[in-house]
Amino acid sequence: MAPTDLKWSLSQAKTLAYSLMVFLSLHTVTGMSGWDGCLDGQDVFATVRENSLSGEIVAELMTDTTMEGVHWSLNGKDADWFWLDGRNIRLNTSAEKVLDREVQGPVLMAELSCQEDDSLQSVYRIMVEILNENDNSPVFAEDTVQSLIMSELIPVNTLVFTVQATDADNDKIIYSIDQSTSDAEYFKIDLPNSGEVILSKPLDYETKTQLTITIHASEMSTAERFNTSTTITITILDGDDQYPQFLPCTLLFQDDTSRVCTSPVYTVNVTEGQEDIVLDFSPGPIHAIDGDRGLNSPVSYAIISGNDDGRFLMDRETGEVRLTQAVKDRLTTPTSHLQVMAYQDNDPRKYSVATVLVHVVAVNQFYPKFDMAAYNGFVSAGKSTISLVITYGSKALMLHVQDQDFKDGFNPMIHFTFSPTSNHTDIYQVTQEGLLIAMTNELKPEQKHFLEIMAIDKESGDATFTTVVVEVLSEGQSIPMSPLGDEHLISCTVGKALFLSMVFMTILGCILCLIMWLKKRHKGHKGPLERGCVAQGKHPNVVR
Ligand SMILES: *[C@@H]1O[C@H](CO)[C@@H](O)[C@H](O)[C@H]1NC(C)=O
Ligand SMILES: *[C@@H]1O[C@H](CO)[C@@H](O)[C@H](O)[C@H]1NC(C)=O
Ligand SMILES: *[C@@H]1O[C@H](CO)[C@@H](O)[C@H](O)[C@H]1NC(C)=O
């Protein structure tokens, strides 16, 4: 049955009633006139399969249609579909004129008329039902298979849309999602007859903004299982499900449904005493965006901790940070550690926090410089495995760096090391106080060692270089006089006797005492020459 059957049976009923009236009246007429040839006919009720071929016999009349003077013919609405071939009513179709129940309706109606001597005697009805064949595929209703837009916040198991298809043969239809497409997993159809498409996996605008699925509508119970497909595009709208993100954020993890990234640590160096400046961060500037890229809600900023009595001021709108009060003493406040937040204006419960580090560094206008471009040192070839390198006037050779950024020229962050190109680093060591120690007893008189020493300001990274020429003296040989004759500057000397009788323990003790003394010295304000003075006696702490 086709959906139009009801309509057809109504018009059929009307036609039947009409035919019956005609029939009765005609028979009354013929009955009275008494022409038997035409009275031999009968109504025809028959069936024919849809798509039957031309010439197919629809019905065979019981009447002798060949009687002399009697003429039988077909008339009426659907008479064209038939022709009379002797007693047979045959089907009249062609390639262009296919018998289609879905087009013609379920019943064809015609009349079989009988004339005798050119006057109409009888009219019989012909009613032929067209038997349905499955010759149609399901067809989707256009308005149910349009592109869709849906929010990423739609919960799983929500009915998101319903597709509908019809089949002209009125076959039952089942719907299914083509599993061969990658987005198929997002949806399901729980009731195959319903066409109801249900969300089966959370949507996430941040990872996927569009989905495409193919849906089949198939005949459920026909042999042919005719089917049709449609492809639906679903555009996903951003919902407010993400928190603001500080940029640049480091992606930690991402999959189809989530994305995790960490805020950067914003760092800046400020100089001691600097005030009322906008901080230029690295990475910078401090900036956050709504994680919901599609919504892009405005973000505001605030300092949540570490503000050190309002030393810093953060612009609520731009995130710009100002230092409003200078750090007076970077030794007590070397670093300010702030936590700042970025929150959504329309929902401050959605916020992220980032760390801000403000390092206070010393004023750095000047490069550190060695006192001398080159130093001369001496070491005695002897039995001891460890010897202090000394210089003219028998005093310990002490490298010294001047840094004019400091009142007394002394930069406590200077670190001595051999430059990477220096030779003899296996023999010598340089202490953080600028002393050189020879670490071997393999020294041979008259050897000359050229050492390249670097002093680096650990705070600013500034570096300076010098060369030390160390001559190995034979045991007992006295220290040459300075070519500059500057022995008068010596404020303390390593006594010759002490030097000559140096034994390992003494030297070690001396070095230790020297280091401790120098460490203490760092806080003092003595001149560089004084600083170069090695305690001649044993330090009270190093008594053995
Ligand atoms: C068969 O149908 C065609 C098309 O409607 C028509 O022209 C033709 O006359 C019909 N044949 C008969 C024998 O009725
Ligand atoms: C659709 O019909 C074709 C044959 O016409 C068949 O191969 C295919 O499996 C059918 N698809 C579905 C989903 O029923
Ligand atoms: C701060 O100074 C240090 C050296 O003292 C340097 O390594 C670092 O890159 C500087 N940081 C910034 C943000 O400029």
Side-chain angles (χ1 to χ4, degrees):
M1 281 273 279
T4 46
D5 281 6
L6 181 63
K7 199 175 85 203
W8 272 98
S9 27
L10 279 174
S11 65
Q12 183 187 340
K14 275 193 220 156
T15 318
L16 264 174
Y18 170 76
S19 310
L20 206 59
M21 272 162 59
V22 173
F23 173 75
L24 290 174
S25 58
L26 284 176
H27 273 262
T28 315
V29 171
T30 52
M32 285 197 312
S33 61
W35 297 91
D36 284 331
C38 279
L39 290 176
D40 216 8
Q42 68 274 138
D43 291 343
V44 176
F45 299 99
T47 58
V48 65
R49 290 204 67 79
E50 196 176 0
N51 304 313
S52 289
L53 299 177
S54 199
E56 176 142 339
I57 297 170
V58 176
E60 191 182 347
L61 300 175
M62 296 310 205
T63 320
D64 178 11
T65 55
T66 57
M67 197 188 284
E68 189 101 350
V70 178
H71 177 69
W72 296 85
S73 64
L74 297 174
N75 324 91
K77 185 168 76 70
D78 299 320
D80 267 5
W81 285 100
F82 309 104
W83 44 279
L84 211 49
D85 173 23
R87 291 179 169 218
N88 293 327
I89 298 175
R90 290 186 185 266
L91 189 66
N92 175 25
T93 63
S94 64
E96 299 79 41
K97 188 183 169 189
V98 174
L99 184 60
D100 186 347
R101 178 180 157 114
E102 286 72 41
V103 175
Q104 300 312 314
V107 179
L108 294 176
M109 286 198 247
E111 286 147 22
L112 180 63
S113 310
C114 179
Q115 284 174 308
E116 276 188 43
D117 301 334
D118 292 338
S119 82
L120 179 65
Q121 297 300 322
S122 307
V123 176
Y124 302 93
R125 18 170 211 168
I126 300 171
M127 297 185 70
V128 178
E129 187 190 354
I130 304 171
L131 297 178
N132 193 30
E133 279 215 318
N134 185 19
D135 56 354
N136 288 284
S137 293
V139 176
F140 276 106
E142 268 305 306
D143 59 341
T144 69
V145 292
Q146 302 290 316
S147 301
L148 292 159
I149 295 174
M150 58 179 75
S151 164
E152 64 170 339
L153 301 183
I154 288 183
V156 167
N157 289 325
T158 304
L159 165 62
V160 282
F161 60 98
T162 304
V163 293
Q164 281 302 315
T166 52
D167 185 284
D169 299 316
N170 218 18
D171 296 318
K172 266 222 155 60
I173 296 171
I174 53 171
Y175 303 90
S176 58
I177 294 171
D178 190 326
Q179 295 301 320
S180 65
T181 61
S182 64
D183 297 337
E185 56 182 357
Y186 282 91
F187 301 97
K188 60 179 178 181
I189 292 177
D190 282 343
L191 303 168
N193 290 122
S194 69
E196 291 177 351
V197 180
I198 290 164
L199 187 66
S200 62
K201 183 177 165 176
L203 300 174
D204 180 33
Y205 174 86
E206 281 67 34
T207 52
K208 215 159 170 105
T209 58
Q210 199 170 69
L211 302 174
T212 307
I213 56 167
T214 298
I215 297 178
H216 300 296
S218 317
E219 292 174 355
M220 190 170 93
S221 45
T222 61
E224 297 83 2
R225 291 289 178 102
F226 289 138
N227 60 69
T228 185
S229 302
T230 186
T231 295
I232 299 181
T233 304
I234 297 121
T235 303
I236 298 171
L237 289 184
D238 204 359
D240 191 359
D241 62 342
Q242 301 286 313
Y243 284 34
Q245 286 167 356
F246 280 99
L247 296 185
C249 82
T250 312
L251 192 62
L252 280 187
F253 169 80
Q254 170 160 7
D255 70 4
D256 285 357
T257 53
S258 54
R259 190 167 185 277
V260 179
C261 78
T262 54
S263 299
V265 174
Y266 297 103
T267 311
V268 68
N269 291 339
V270 300
T271 307
E272 190 174 50
Q274 239 180 349
E275 188 163 87
D276 199 26
I277 50 160
V278 171
L279 301 183
D280 184 13
F281 290 98
S282 166
I286 294 178
H287 182 60
I289 55 161
D290 183 3
D292 300 303
R293 300 290 147 77
L295 298 181
N296 222 356
S297 306
V299 167
S300 290
Y301 304 88
I303 296 174
I304 49 178
S305 73
N307 195 7
D308 209 359
D309 292 336
R311 193 186 293 286
F312 300 96
L313 214 61
M314 188 170 207
D315 188 295
R316 194 178 65 82
E317 279 174 38
T318 63
E320 183 183 88
V321 178
R322 288 186 86 82
L323 172 67
T324 59
Q325 293 165 39
V327 175
K328 294 284 179 333
D329 183 0
R330 72 193 174 86
L331 297 178
T332 58
T333 318
T335 300
S336 290
H337 192 116
L338 286 82
Q339 297 289 329
V340 297
M341 75 190 285
Y343 58 94
Q344 255 175 254
D345 285 351
N346 57 7
D347 185 359
R349 289 170 305 176
K350 297 205 168 81
Y351 67 89
S352 290
V353 175
T355 298
V356 171
L357 296 178
V358 181
H359 298 298
V360 184
V361 298
V363 178
N364 183 27
Q365 286 179 323
F366 300 98
Y367 246 71
K369 268 167 76 180
F370 276 102
D371 283 354
M372 293 193 250
Y375 292 82
N376 291 88
F378 305 96
V379 67
S380 193
K383 291 192 177 61
S384 61
T385 52
I386 178 162
S387 327
L388 190 65
V389 175
I390 57 169
T391 187
Y392 299 116
S394 299
K395 57 176 178 157
L397 172 65
M398 186 159 218
L399 307 172
H400 184 253
V401 163
Q402 282 280 344
D403 188 337
Q404 291 192 58
D405 288 324
F406 294 80
K407 241 185 273 164
D408 61 353
F410 174 65
N411 179 347
M413 296 304 281
I414 290 292
H415 176 84
F416 292 105
T417 162
F418 286 103
S419 77
T421 54
S422 182
N423 294 318
H424 311 301
T425 54
D426 53 334
I427 306 176
Y428 295 92
Q429 278 193 2
V430 58
T431 72
Q432 286 325 299
E433 291 72 26
L435 293 170
L436 277 170
I437 299 163
M439 301 292 289
T440 178
N441 52 7
E442 304 281 293
L443 300 171
K444 298 280 178 308
E446 294 181 26
Q447 279 177 333
K448 237 182 189 178
H449 298 141
F450 290 83
L451 311 176
E452 298 289 331
I453 312 271
M454 173 166 84
I456 183 160
D457 179 347
K458 284 208 276 186
E459 191 167 86
S460 66
D462 294 347
T464 179
F465 299 85
T466 192
T467 305
V468 181
V469 183
V470 181
E471 284 178 55
V472 181
L473 305 177
S474 52
E475 218 174 337
Q477 188 183 351
S478 59
I479 313 293
M481 294 295 278
S482 164
L484 302 170
D486 55 0
E487 267 88 11
H488 65 279
L489 287 172
I490 299 163
S491 57
C492 63
T493 57
V494 179
K496 195 173 174 183
L498 170 70
F499 187 66
L500 291 175
S501 63
M502 255 197 284
V503 287
F504 174 68
M505 294 308 291
T506 318
I507 287 291
L508 186 62
C510 188
I511 290 165
L512 282 172
C513 105
L514 172 79
I515 289 167
M516 288 169 108
W517 174 78
L518 282 167
K519 287 218 163 113
K520 246 174 90 186
R521 251 287 297 112
H522 276 171
K523 289 184 182 126
H525 294 279
K526 290 183 190 160
L529 276 172
E530 281 177 89
R531 223 178 273 139
C533 168
V534 184
Q536 290 175 24
K538 282 179 186 156
H539 190 279
N541 291 354
V542 197
V543 174
R544 286 185 168 268

